[in-house]
Amino acid sequence: MSDAGPALERLLGIMAHLRDPEHGCPWDLQQSFRTIVPHTLEEAYEVADAIERDALDELPGELGDLLFQVVFYAQLGREQGLFDFAGITEAIADKIVRRHPHVFGDGGRTDSAGQRRTWEAIKATERAERAGRATSQMDDVPVALPALSRAEKLQRRAARVGFDWTSREPVMGKVHEELAELEAAAATGSRADVHEEMGDLLFACANLARHLGVDAEQALRDANGKFERRFRGLEAELARQGASAEAVDFERLESAYQVAKAADKDGE
């Protein structure tokens, strides 16, 4: 294992210099906890993107960008006397040890499902201790999560106390029910009703994905990628015909899309 100490100390020093009131970077000096959140989310998605593209040669750089976000937060915390990088690392090390009694304690060996139950029970205890009162299963589900991921997490929390279907059939039925309600809302022309019913349908689809063992967020990311790939194929097909997507009607677009779709399937 390499010694990351000197490299990490260098990075922390660079961050402190960037925030130096006299000699630092004007942009970095303007930042706050709130203003760097969008950058943190962007860097996390770029890590996910590199992994999804199997671009592992890019991963160290992307992980470095994400680590820099943590270092930035640590510097802001140190300046305000709230916490520092050492405090962050100590806290996560303590938490990981505490949540793995089967590895670091006397909890005994267990399988993945048993470990997950232990993990969730410990997390629930931690939430109750922080709040000093009875807590909701819905506590600590970040609002900033992607909507599909948050829907699945909320549903898993509800399932802990038995608020869940025991088979996929009624979940399928709920999807059909929500689709029918969306169709009825669309017929009325009420944008508010359509908005609400669309949300209900997406929530039901996320629940169905959970029951089928599918990561809804990843499934939609994959579907996005497939559509983008095939649409690019559509554009290439039209270019071969001496045309462009902007200059043809829907029928010709659809025809080119089907050609691209067939070629995409052949390449899978």
Side-chain angles (χ1 to χ4, degrees):
M1 182 181 296
S2 64
D3 182 7
L8 187 53
E9 287 299 327
R10 180 177 179 234
L11 181 59
L12 291 169
I14 290 171
M15 183 70 254
H17 190 71
L18 288 171
R19 290 279 299 179
D20 182 271
E22 293 185 20
H23 307 291
C25 169
W27 185 89
D28 289 278
L29 286 168
Q30 291 175 352
Q31 304 314 304
S32 66
F33 287 117
R34 287 186 178 274
T35 62
I36 62 174
V37 166
H39 302 285
T40 306
L41 295 174
E42 180 179 344
E43 298 300 351
Y45 279 119
E46 289 184 1
V47 168
D49 179 66
I51 294 172
E52 195 164 303
R53 292 185 289 107
D54 201 28
L56 300 187
D57 59 320
E58 299 177 17
L59 194 53
E62 298 299 351
L63 288 170
D65 291 342
L66 185 58
L67 174 60
F68 186 72
Q69 299 300 304
V70 178
V71 169
F72 208 140
Y73 289 117
Q75 177 65 26
L76 293 174
R78 189 176 70 81
E79 291 171 3
Q80 298 178 36
L82 301 173
F83 54 82
D84 59 13
F85 190 83
I88 293 171
T89 55
E90 284 295 324
I92 186 58
D94 290 345
K95 181 188 292 185
I96 294 301
V97 170
R98 184 171 64 250
R99 291 184 179 180
H100 291 79
H102 56 293
V103 176
F104 301 104
D106 55 2
R109 300 299 298 173
T110 184
D111 59 14
S112 178
Q115 189 275 330
R116 183 68 185 178
R117 288 192 295 271
T118 299
W119 177 281
E120 294 296 347
I122 293 171
K123 285 173 64 178
T125 300
E126 290 171 354
R127 287 196 300 272
E129 289 174 350
R130 286 199 303 272
R133 56 177 173 76
T135 58
S136 167
Q137 293 290 336
M138 301 292 108
D139 287 348
D140 298 335
V141 181
V143 175
L145 279 175
L148 280 175
S149 296
R150 189 165 192 267
E152 287 188 302
K153 197 170 184 68
L154 291 170
Q155 291 158 2
R156 286 197 301 271
R157 291 287 186 89
R160 289 182 194 168
V161 296
F163 189 65
D164 195 16
W165 281 292
T166 56
S167 66
R168 76 180 64 165
E169 286 73 19
V171 189
M172 291 271 195
K174 186 64 175 176
V175 171
H176 290 299
E177 175 187 326
E178 296 298 350
L179 179 58
E181 291 181 4
L182 176 59
E183 290 174 341
T188 69
S190 169
R191 293 184 62 84
D193 289 347
V194 168
H195 177 93
E196 180 178 354
E197 297 301 341
M198 189 75 242
D200 290 345
L201 176 59
L202 290 170
F203 191 83
C205 287
N207 200 21
L208 177 59
R210 183 175 62 88
H211 275 265
L212 292 172
V214 173
D215 183 322
E217 188 73 27
Q218 187 59 51
L220 185 54
R221 286 170 64 87
D222 290 343
N224 288 342
K226 180 168 63 177
F227 178 78
E228 179 182 2
R229 187 171 63 248
R230 292 176 176 179
F231 192 85
R232 289 178 184 274
L234 170 158
E235 293 172 318
E237 173 62 22
L238 288 174
R240 281 192 291 271
Q241 300 173 16
S244 67
E246 297 84 357
V248 300
D249 59 18
F250 175 77
E251 286 72 19
R252 195 163 173 189
L253 287 169
E254 175 63 18
S255 176
Y257 186 82
Q258 292 304 321
V259 171
K261 179 178 178 181
D264 187 48
K265 286 186 173 181
D266 289 342
E268 290 178 349

